[in-house]
Amino acid sequence: MQHTELGNLLRISRCFDIFRRQRIKDSDLHPGLQLLVSHVCRNPGCSQEFLVEKVCLDKTTVAHHLARLEEKGYIERRISPEDARARAVFPTQKALDMYPELHEAYTVFYDNLLKDLSEEDRSEVTRLSEILYQNALRLVKENRSKDRSDR
């Protein structure tokens, strides 16, 4: 069957979204916003550009998501001390209170996803997934550049 690997990766991602929704029932955030909260909690003061790279979304989408998180009281954006033109993103106490629950959902899913694999297999999954991610990221960046030059 053609493209089975990609289908499996996409299904795993979808299962993870469903699992997070099941585990974090009281959250008013969809999985994409939860992902941003997790990154901001782990990287307080990060830039929006950092988040664009980490979540692999375009700048406009990340900016809209951050505005939504700010409205809901999960983050605050401040002028960056390094660059007055940039805004640094910080978690609020509301985000920090939610983070342990998010982290636990990630950990439980990850541990169960890999539970039947040997340490060698786990290392190989890590190695191969990094290659796949870098290839995907390169393709996205190339297409962004092409889109800009077509305008």
Side-chain angles (χ1 to χ4, degrees), residues 34-55 66 74-78 80-82 87-92 95-96 99 102-103 106:
Q34 290 175 357
L35 182 62
L36 280 169
V37 167
S38 290
H39 280 294
V40 171
C41 286
R42 286 193 314 272
N43 304 281
C46 64
S47 68
Q48 289 184 198
E49 290 75 23
F50 171 85
L51 294 169
V52 165
E53 288 291 319
K54 285 297 183 184
V55 298
L66 291 176
Y74 287 95
I75 61 141
E76 54 183 52
R77 293 182 279 184
R78 303 180 204 147
S80 171
E82 290 87 34
R87 305 221 344 201
V89 184
F90 293 88
T92 63
L96 293 171
Y99 179 72
L102 286 171
H103 183 68
Y106 282 93

mmCIF file of all heavy atoms in Angstrom, residues 34-55 66 74-78 80-82 87-92 95-96 99 102-103 106:
data_model
loop_
_atom_site.group_PDB
_atom_site.id
_atom_site.type_symbol
_atom_site.label_atom_id
_atom_site.label_comp_id
_atom_site.label_asym_id
_atom_site.label_seq_id
_atom_site.Cartn_x
_atom_site.Cartn_y
_atom_site.Cartn_z
ATOM 1 N N GLN A 34 -3.175 24.200 23.043
ATOM 2 C CA GLN A 34 -2.491 23.505 24.139
ATOM 3 C C GLN A 34 -1.013 23.337 23.815
ATOM 4 O O GLN A 34 -0.152 23.500 24.688
ATOM 5 C CB GLN A 34 -3.127 22.140 24.389
ATOM 6 C CG GLN A 34 -4.508 22.206 24.979
ATOM 7 C CD GLN A 34 -5.153 20.831 25.093
ATOM 8 O OE1 GLN A 34 -4.595 19.820 24.685
ATOM 9 N NE2 GLN A 34 -6.349 20.795 25.651
ATOM 10 N N LEU A 35 -0.715 23.022 22.562
ATOM 11 C CA LEU A 35 0.670 22.856 22.144
ATOM 12 C C LEU A 35 1.453 24.150 22.330
ATOM 13 O O LEU A 35 2.583 24.144 22.833
ATOM 14 C CB LEU A 35 0.714 22.396 20.678
ATOM 15 C CG LEU A 35 2.086 22.129 20.083
ATOM 16 C CD1 LEU A 35 2.797 21.010 20.826
ATOM 17 C CD2 LEU A 35 1.927 21.776 18.613
ATOM 18 N N LEU A 36 0.864 25.269 21.963
ATOM 19 C CA LEU A 36 1.522 26.564 22.156
ATOM 20 C C LEU A 36 1.743 26.852 23.632
ATOM 21 O O LEU A 36 2.818 27.311 24.025
ATOM 22 C CB LEU A 36 0.713 27.681 21.505
ATOM 23 C CG LEU A 36 0.886 27.838 20.000
ATOM 24 C CD1 LEU A 36 -0.160 28.780 19.434
ATOM 25 C CD2 LEU A 36 2.281 28.328 19.661
ATOM 26 N N VAL A 37 0.742 26.578 24.458
ATOM 27 C CA VAL A 37 0.885 26.785 25.901
ATOM 28 C C VAL A 37 2.059 25.963 26.428
ATOM 29 O O VAL A 37 2.883 26.454 27.214
ATOM 30 C CB VAL A 37 -0.420 26.441 26.662
ATOM 31 C CG1 VAL A 37 -0.180 26.352 28.165
ATOM 32 C CG2 VAL A 37 -1.494 27.475 26.362
ATOM 33 N N SER A 38 2.162 24.717 25.993
ATOM 34 C CA SER A 38 3.267 23.857 26.439
ATOM 35 C C SER A 38 4.617 24.458 26.072
ATOM 36 O O SER A 38 5.531 24.502 26.893
ATOM 37 C CB SER A 38 3.146 22.464 25.823
ATOM 38 O OG SER A 38 2.067 21.779 26.369
ATOM 39 N N HIS A 39 4.744 24.915 24.825
ATOM 40 C CA HIS A 39 6.015 25.499 24.393
ATOM 41 C C HIS A 39 6.338 26.772 25.162
ATOM 42 O O HIS A 39 7.494 26.995 25.537
ATOM 43 C CB HIS A 39 6.000 25.773 22.886
ATOM 44 C CG HIS A 39 6.250 24.559 22.069
ATOM 45 N ND1 HIS A 39 7.449 23.881 22.066
ATOM 46 C CD2 HIS A 39 5.449 23.885 21.215
ATOM 47 C CE1 HIS A 39 7.374 22.850 21.255
ATOM 48 N NE2 HIS A 39 6.161 22.824 20.726
ATOM 49 N N VAL A 40 5.341 27.607 25.411
ATOM 50 C CA VAL A 40 5.576 28.856 26.132
ATOM 51 C C VAL A 40 5.953 28.569 27.586
ATOM 52 O O VAL A 40 6.858 29.216 28.136
ATOM 53 C CB VAL A 40 4.344 29.786 26.046
ATOM 54 C CG1 VAL A 40 4.493 30.988 26.966
ATOM 55 C CG2 VAL A 40 4.136 30.246 24.606
ATOM 56 N N CYS A 41 5.312 27.579 28.197
ATOM 57 C CA CYS A 41 5.660 27.224 29.581
ATOM 58 C C CYS A 41 7.086 26.690 29.676
ATOM 59 O O CYS A 41 7.785 26.965 30.651
ATOM 60 C CB CYS A 41 4.672 26.200 30.138
ATOM 61 S SG CYS A 41 3.057 26.889 30.537
ATOM 62 N N ARG A 42 7.504 25.932 28.682
ATOM 63 C CA ARG A 42 8.869 25.384 28.693
ATOM 64 C C ARG A 42 9.912 26.411 28.252
ATOM 65 O O ARG A 42 11.100 26.237 28.540
ATOM 66 C CB ARG A 42 8.960 24.153 27.785
ATOM 67 C CG ARG A 42 8.296 22.934 28.376
ATOM 68 C CD ARG A 42 8.652 21.652 27.639
ATOM 69 N NE ARG A 42 8.576 21.720 26.193
ATOM 70 C CZ ARG A 42 7.473 21.474 25.472
ATOM 71 N NH1 ARG A 42 6.347 21.139 26.075
ATOM 72 N NH2 ARG A 42 7.493 21.546 24.160
ATOM 73 N N ASN A 43 9.471 27.469 27.579
ATOM 74 C CA ASN A 43 10.395 28.472 27.032
ATOM 75 C C ASN A 43 9.888 29.886 27.313
ATOM 76 O O ASN A 43 9.613 30.637 26.373
ATOM 77 C CB ASN A 43 10.553 28.277 25.522
ATOM 78 C CG ASN A 43 11.014 26.891 25.165
ATOM 79 O OD1 ASN A 43 12.193 26.573 25.280
ATOM 80 N ND2 ASN A 43 10.088 26.037 24.744
ATOM 81 N N PRO A 44 9.720 30.259 28.580
ATOM 82 C CA PRO A 44 9.180 31.593 28.880
ATOM 83 C C PRO A 44 10.059 32.690 28.285
ATOM 84 O O PRO A 44 11.285 32.597 28.324
ATOM 85 C CB PRO A 44 9.183 31.662 30.414
ATOM 86 C CG PRO A 44 9.886 30.462 30.898
ATOM 87 C CD PRO A 44 10.086 29.519 29.770
ATOM 88 N N GLY A 45 9.402 33.679 27.685
ATOM 89 C CA GLY A 45 10.123 34.783 27.062
ATOM 90 C C GLY A 45 10.533 34.507 25.633
ATOM 91 O O GLY A 45 11.261 35.287 25.026
ATOM 92 N N CYS A 46 10.044 33.391 25.073
ATOM 93 C CA CYS A 46 10.403 33.044 23.689
ATOM 94 C C CYS A 46 9.752 34.025 22.719
ATOM 95 O O CYS A 46 8.818 34.744 23.050
ATOM 96 C CB CYS A 46 9.987 31.609 23.372
ATOM 97 S SG CYS A 46 8.212 31.310 23.428
ATOM 98 N N SER A 47 10.271 34.021 21.520
ATOM 99 C CA SER A 47 9.729 34.892 20.474
ATOM 100 C C SER A 47 8.619 34.174 19.716
ATOM 101 O O SER A 47 8.523 32.942 19.744
ATOM 102 C CB SER A 47 10.835 35.278 19.485
ATOM 103 O OG SER A 47 11.248 34.139 18.752
ATOM 104 N N GLN A 48 7.816 34.951 19.015
ATOM 105 C CA GLN A 48 6.789 34.362 18.162
ATOM 106 C C GLN A 48 7.450 33.561 17.040
ATOM 107 O O GLN A 48 6.933 32.523 16.640
ATOM 108 C CB GLN A 48 5.870 35.453 17.604
ATOM 109 C CG GLN A 48 4.982 36.052 18.667
ATOM 110 C CD GLN A 48 3.982 37.063 18.146
ATOM 111 O OE1 GLN A 48 3.466 37.813 18.927
ATOM 112 N NE2 GLN A 48 3.691 37.089 16.865
ATOM 113 N N GLU A 49 8.600 34.008 16.553
ATOM 114 C CA GLU A 49 9.317 33.285 15.495
ATOM 115 C C GLU A 49 9.741 31.896 15.990
ATOM 116 O O GLU A 49 9.682 30.922 15.243
ATOM 117 C CB GLU A 49 10.538 34.079 15.018
ATOM 118 C CG GLU A 49 10.189 35.327 14.237
ATOM 119 C CD GLU A 49 9.685 36.480 15.120
ATOM 120 O OE1 GLU A 49 9.993 36.518 16.339
ATOM 121 O OE2 GLU A 49 8.944 37.324 14.589
ATOM 122 N N PHE A 50 10.187 31.814 17.233
ATOM 123 C CA PHE A 50 10.547 30.533 17.839
ATOM 124 C C PHE A 50 9.342 29.598 17.807
ATOM 125 O O PHE A 50 9.454 28.426 17.439
ATOM 126 C CB PHE A 50 11.021 30.765 19.285
ATOM 127 C CG PHE A 50 11.211 29.514 20.083
ATOM 128 C CD1 PHE A 50 12.408 28.807 20.021
ATOM 129 C CD2 PHE A 50 10.203 29.044 20.911
ATOM 130 C CE1 PHE A 50 12.593 27.650 20.775
ATOM 131 C CE2 PHE A 50 10.379 27.891 21.660
ATOM 132 C CZ PHE A 50 11.574 27.189 21.592
ATOM 133 N N LEU A 51 8.178 30.116 18.177
ATOM 134 C CA LEU A 51 6.958 29.303 18.203
ATOM 135 C C LEU A 51 6.538 28.883 16.796
ATOM 136 O O LEU A 51 6.061 27.757 16.605
ATOM 137 C CB LEU A 51 5.836 30.051 18.914
ATOM 138 C CG LEU A 51 6.085 30.291 20.402
ATOM 139 C CD1 LEU A 51 5.052 31.259 20.967
ATOM 140 C CD2 LEU A 51 6.085 28.980 21.171
ATOM 141 N N VAL A 52 6.709 29.756 15.823
ATOM 142 C CA VAL A 52 6.401 29.412 14.422
ATOM 143 C C VAL A 52 7.197 28.176 14.032
ATOM 144 O O VAL A 52 6.660 27.229 13.442
ATOM 145 C CB VAL A 52 6.707 30.600 13.478
ATOM 146 C CG1 VAL A 52 6.746 30.159 12.023
ATOM 147 C CG2 VAL A 52 5.682 31.713 13.665
ATOM 148 N N GLU A 53 8.488 28.174 14.356
ATOM 149 C CA GLU A 53 9.346 27.030 14.030
ATOM 150 C C GLU A 53 8.934 25.779 14.800
ATOM 151 O O GLU A 53 8.888 24.686 14.251
ATOM 152 C CB GLU A 53 10.815 27.353 14.338
ATOM 153 C CG GLU A 53 11.432 28.319 13.370
ATOM 154 C CD GLU A 53 11.623 27.733 11.985
ATOM 155 O OE1 GLU A 53 12.019 26.556 11.865
ATOM 156 O OE2 GLU A 53 11.378 28.468 11.007
ATOM 157 N N LYS A 54 8.637 25.933 16.081
ATOM 158 C CA LYS A 54 8.330 24.781 16.928
ATOM 159 C C LYS A 54 7.020 24.100 16.561
ATOM 160 O O LYS A 54 6.918 22.886 16.615
ATOM 161 C CB LYS A 54 8.289 25.190 18.413
ATOM 162 C CG LYS A 54 9.641 25.409 19.007
ATOM 163 C CD LYS A 54 10.436 24.132 18.995
ATOM 164 C CE LYS A 54 11.771 24.267 19.644
ATOM 165 N NZ LYS A 54 12.568 23.055 19.558
ATOM 166 N N VAL A 55 6.003 24.870 16.219
ATOM 167 C CA VAL A 55 4.692 24.268 15.942
ATOM 168 C C VAL A 55 4.423 24.134 14.444
ATOM 169 O O VAL A 55 3.400 23.592 14.049
ATOM 170 C CB VAL A 55 3.531 25.022 16.635
ATOM 171 C CG1 VAL A 55 3.689 24.986 18.136
ATOM 172 C CG2 VAL A 55 3.415 26.452 16.138
ATOM 173 N N LEU A 66 -1.891 33.183 19.458
ATOM 174 C CA LEU A 66 -1.366 33.857 20.643
ATOM 175 C C LEU A 66 -2.330 34.936 21.127
ATOM 176 O O LEU A 66 -2.510 35.116 22.341
ATOM 177 C CB LEU A 66 0.019 34.447 20.361
ATOM 178 C CG LEU A 66 1.133 33.425 20.166
ATOM 179 C CD1 LEU A 66 2.441 34.127 19.799
ATOM 180 C CD2 LEU A 66 1.322 32.549 21.391
ATOM 181 N N TYR A 74 -3.950 32.994 29.186
ATOM 182 C CA TYR A 74 -2.911 31.974 29.291
ATOM 183 C C TYR A 74 -1.499 32.512 29.057
ATOM 184 O O TYR A 74 -0.527 31.923 29.519
ATOM 185 C CB TYR A 74 -3.165 30.834 28.296
ATOM 186 C CG TYR A 74 -4.304 29.951 28.703
ATOM 187 C CD1 TYR A 74 -5.583 30.158 28.206
ATOM 188 C CD2 TYR A 74 -4.114 28.900 29.593
ATOM 189 C CE1 TYR A 74 -6.645 29.350 28.581
ATOM 190 C CE2 TYR A 74 -5.161 28.086 29.978
ATOM 191 C CZ TYR A 74 -6.428 28.321 29.464
ATOM 192 O OH TYR A 74 -7.478 27.521 29.843
ATOM 193 N N ILE A 75 -1.393 33.577 28.285
ATOM 194 C CA ILE A 75 -0.069 34.143 27.999
ATOM 195 C C ILE A 75 -0.144 35.658 28.079
ATOM 196 O O ILE A 75 -1.225 36.258 28.061
ATOM 197 C CB ILE A 75 0.447 33.747 26.591
ATOM 198 C CG1 ILE A 75 -0.493 34.270 25.500
ATOM 199 C CG2 ILE A 75 0.648 32.252 26.481
ATOM 200 C CD1 ILE A 75 0.201 34.783 24.284
ATOM 201 N N GLU A 76 1.031 36.258 28.144
ATOM 202 C CA GLU A 76 1.133 37.696 27.936
ATOM 203 C C GLU A 76 2.325 37.954 27.041
ATOM 204 O O GLU A 76 3.322 37.231 27.079
ATOM 205 C CB GLU A 76 1.230 38.466 29.254
ATOM 206 C CG GLU A 76 2.305 38.028 30.180
ATOM 207 C CD GLU A 76 2.281 38.816 31.493
ATOM 208 O OE1 GLU A 76 1.214 38.892 32.132
ATOM 209 O OE2 GLU A 76 3.347 39.339 31.856
ATOM 210 N N ARG A 77 2.176 38.944 26.190
ATOM 211 C CA ARG A 77 3.252 39.319 25.281
ATOM 212 C C ARG A 77 3.804 40.662 25.733
ATOM 213 O O ARG A 77 3.047 41.590 26.008
ATOM 214 C CB ARG A 77 2.746 39.381 23.839
ATOM 215 C CG ARG A 77 2.362 38.010 23.316
ATOM 216 C CD ARG A 77 1.918 38.035 21.889
ATOM 217 N NE ARG A 77 0.516 38.463 21.813
ATOM 218 C CZ ARG A 77 -0.179 38.508 20.695
ATOM 219 N NH1 ARG A 77 0.382 38.168 19.554
ATOM 220 N NH2 ARG A 77 -1.438 38.878 20.694
ATOM 221 N N ARG A 78 5.126 40.717 25.807
ATOM 222 C CA ARG A 78 5.805 41.938 26.231
ATOM 223 C C ARG A 78 6.874 42.283 25.203
ATOM 224 O O ARG A 78 7.347 41.419 24.480
ATOM 225 C CB ARG A 78 6.506 41.725 27.575
ATOM 226 C CG ARG A 78 5.616 41.258 28.695
ATOM 227 C CD ARG A 78 6.436 41.081 29.973
ATOM 228 N NE ARG A 78 5.775 40.135 30.863
ATOM 229 C CZ ARG A 78 6.404 39.306 31.667
ATOM 230 N NH1 ARG A 78 7.715 39.295 31.724
ATOM 231 N NH2 ARG A 78 5.736 38.487 32.437
ATOM 232 N N SER A 80 10.278 42.643 23.745
ATOM 233 C CA SER A 80 11.478 41.850 24.002
ATOM 234 C C SER A 80 12.612 42.733 24.487
ATOM 235 O O SER A 80 12.863 43.788 23.905
ATOM 236 C CB SER A 80 11.910 41.124 22.721
ATOM 237 O OG SER A 80 13.163 40.527 22.894
ATOM 238 N N PRO A 81 13.301 42.313 25.547
ATOM 239 C CA PRO A 81 14.444 43.106 26.017
ATOM 240 C C PRO A 81 15.598 43.122 25.005
ATOM 241 O O PRO A 81 16.382 44.056 24.964
ATOM 242 C CB PRO A 81 14.878 42.411 27.307
ATOM 243 C CG PRO A 81 14.085 41.164 27.432
ATOM 244 C CD PRO A 81 13.023 41.160 26.372
ATOM 245 N N GLU A 82 15.681 42.088 24.147
ATOM 246 C CA GLU A 82 16.754 42.005 23.155
ATOM 247 C C GLU A 82 16.459 42.820 21.892
ATOM 248 O O GLU A 82 17.370 43.293 21.241
ATOM 249 C CB GLU A 82 17.006 40.543 22.734
ATOM 250 C CG GLU A 82 17.641 39.690 23.805
ATOM 251 C CD GLU A 82 16.607 39.059 24.729
ATOM 252 O OE1 GLU A 82 15.506 38.716 24.263
ATOM 253 O OE2 GLU A 82 16.905 38.937 25.925
ATOM 254 N N ARG A 87 8.206 40.854 20.171
ATOM 255 C CA ARG A 87 7.457 40.631 21.412
ATOM 256 C C ARG A 87 7.838 39.270 21.968
ATOM 257 O O ARG A 87 7.867 38.283 21.250
ATOM 258 C CB ARG A 87 5.967 40.697 21.132
ATOM 259 C CG ARG A 87 5.616 42.014 20.460
ATOM 260 C CD ARG A 87 4.424 42.733 20.837
ATOM 261 N NE ARG A 87 3.407 42.091 21.577
ATOM 262 C CZ ARG A 87 2.177 42.514 21.618
ATOM 263 N NH1 ARG A 87 1.843 43.557 20.914
ATOM 264 N NH2 ARG A 87 1.282 41.915 22.343
ATOM 265 N N ALA A 88 8.128 39.247 23.253
ATOM 266 C CA ALA A 88 8.441 38.001 23.950
ATOM 267 C C ALA A 88 7.144 37.462 24.553
ATOM 268 O O ALA A 88 6.285 38.228 24.992
ATOM 269 C CB ALA A 88 9.478 38.252 25.038
ATOM 270 N N VAL A 89 7.014 36.144 24.564
ATOM 271 C CA VAL A 89 5.783 35.497 25.019
ATOM 272 C C VAL A 89 6.062 34.800 26.356
ATOM 273 O O VAL A 89 6.998 34.008 26.466
ATOM 274 C CB VAL A 89 5.274 34.476 23.981
ATOM 275 C CG1 VAL A 89 3.952 33.881 24.418
ATOM 276 C CG2 VAL A 89 5.150 35.123 22.599
ATOM 277 N N PHE A 90 5.223 35.104 27.344
ATOM 278 C CA PHE A 90 5.378 34.541 28.683
ATOM 279 C C PHE A 90 4.095 33.841 29.116
ATOM 280 O O PHE A 90 2.992 34.315 28.810
ATOM 281 C CB PHE A 90 5.684 35.653 29.698
ATOM 282 C CG PHE A 90 7.020 36.294 29.497
ATOM 283 C CD1 PHE A 90 7.162 37.378 28.642
ATOM 284 C CD2 PHE A 90 8.143 35.803 30.149
ATOM 285 C CE1 PHE A 90 8.396 37.968 28.447
ATOM 286 C CE2 PHE A 90 9.377 36.393 29.960
ATOM 287 C CZ PHE A 90 9.509 37.479 29.107
ATOM 288 N N PRO A 91 4.223 32.738 29.860
ATOM 289 C CA PRO A 91 3.025 32.078 30.394
ATOM 290 C C PRO A 91 2.500 32.855 31.596
ATOM 291 O O PRO A 91 3.270 33.469 32.334
ATOM 292 C CB PRO A 91 3.543 30.706 30.822
ATOM 293 C CG PRO A 91 4.980 30.949 31.173
ATOM 294 C CD PRO A 91 5.452 32.033 30.217
ATOM 295 N N THR A 92 1.204 32.843 31.769
ATOM 296 C CA THR A 92 0.606 33.396 32.984
ATOM 297 C C THR A 92 0.487 32.258 34.008
ATOM 298 O O THR A 92 0.758 31.095 33.698
ATOM 299 C CB THR A 92 -0.800 33.954 32.703
ATOM 300 O OG1 THR A 92 -1.633 32.866 32.272
ATOM 301 C CG2 THR A 92 -0.772 35.066 31.660
ATOM 302 N N ALA A 95 -1.618 29.404 32.738
ATOM 303 C CA ALA A 95 -0.913 28.447 31.871
ATOM 304 C C ALA A 95 -0.014 27.543 32.699
ATOM 305 O O ALA A 95 0.027 26.324 32.479
ATOM 306 C CB ALA A 95 -0.093 29.193 30.826
ATOM 307 N N LEU A 96 0.694 28.123 33.638
ATOM 308 C CA LEU A 96 1.597 27.323 34.485
ATOM 309 C C LEU A 96 0.828 26.301 35.317
ATOM 310 O O LEU A 96 1.324 25.199 35.558
ATOM 311 C CB LEU A 96 2.426 28.245 35.384
ATOM 312 C CG LEU A 96 3.426 29.143 34.645
ATOM 313 C CD1 LEU A 96 4.026 30.176 35.593
ATOM 314 C CD2 LEU A 96 4.513 28.314 33.976
ATOM 315 N N TYR A 99 -0.032 23.466 32.840
ATOM 316 C CA TYR A 99 1.090 22.762 32.226
ATOM 317 C C TYR A 99 1.329 21.350 32.783
ATOM 318 O O TYR A 99 1.551 20.426 31.983
ATOM 319 C CB TYR A 99 2.375 23.594 32.307
ATOM 320 C CG TYR A 99 3.534 22.877 31.695
ATOM 321 C CD1 TYR A 99 3.623 22.712 30.317
ATOM 322 C CD2 TYR A 99 4.530 22.329 32.493
ATOM 323 C CE1 TYR A 99 4.674 22.018 29.745
ATOM 324 C CE2 TYR A 99 5.582 21.639 31.920
ATOM 325 C CZ TYR A 99 5.655 21.489 30.558
ATOM 326 O OH TYR A 99 6.689 20.800 29.990
ATOM 327 N N LEU A 102 -0.939 19.008 31.013
ATOM 328 C CA LEU A 102 -0.538 18.846 29.610
ATOM 329 C C LEU A 102 0.680 17.933 29.518
ATOM 330 O O LEU A 102 0.712 17.009 28.705
ATOM 331 C CB LEU A 102 -0.188 20.200 28.987
ATOM 332 C CG LEU A 102 -1.322 21.141 28.658
ATOM 333 C CD1 LEU A 102 -0.775 22.510 28.263
ATOM 334 C CD2 LEU A 102 -2.172 20.580 27.543
ATOM 335 N N HIS A 103 1.657 18.188 30.355
ATOM 336 C CA HIS A 103 2.886 17.396 30.332
ATOM 337 C C HIS A 103 2.599 15.928 30.652
ATOM 338 O O HIS A 103 3.155 15.030 30.010
ATOM 339 C CB HIS A 103 3.903 17.975 31.324
ATOM 340 C CG HIS A 103 5.202 17.266 31.317
ATOM 341 N ND1 HIS A 103 6.067 17.316 30.250
ATOM 342 C CD2 HIS A 103 5.772 16.453 32.232
ATOM 343 C CE1 HIS A 103 7.121 16.580 30.511
ATOM 344 N NE2 HIS A 103 6.979 16.037 31.708
ATOM 345 N N TYR A 106 1.156 14.234 27.577
ATOM 346 C CA TYR A 106 2.223 13.936 26.622
ATOM 347 C C TYR A 106 3.007 12.704 27.067
ATOM 348 O O TYR A 106 3.272 11.799 26.275
ATOM 349 C CB TYR A 106 3.205 15.112 26.515
ATOM 350 C CG TYR A 106 2.722 16.268 25.690
ATOM 351 C CD1 TYR A 106 2.065 17.340 26.278
ATOM 352 C CD2 TYR A 106 2.942 16.311 24.319
ATOM 353 C CE1 TYR A 106 1.629 18.415 25.531
ATOM 354 C CE2 TYR A 106 2.514 17.381 23.560
ATOM 355 C CZ TYR A 106 1.853 18.433 24.165
ATOM 356 O OH TYR A 106 1.422 19.492 23.426
#
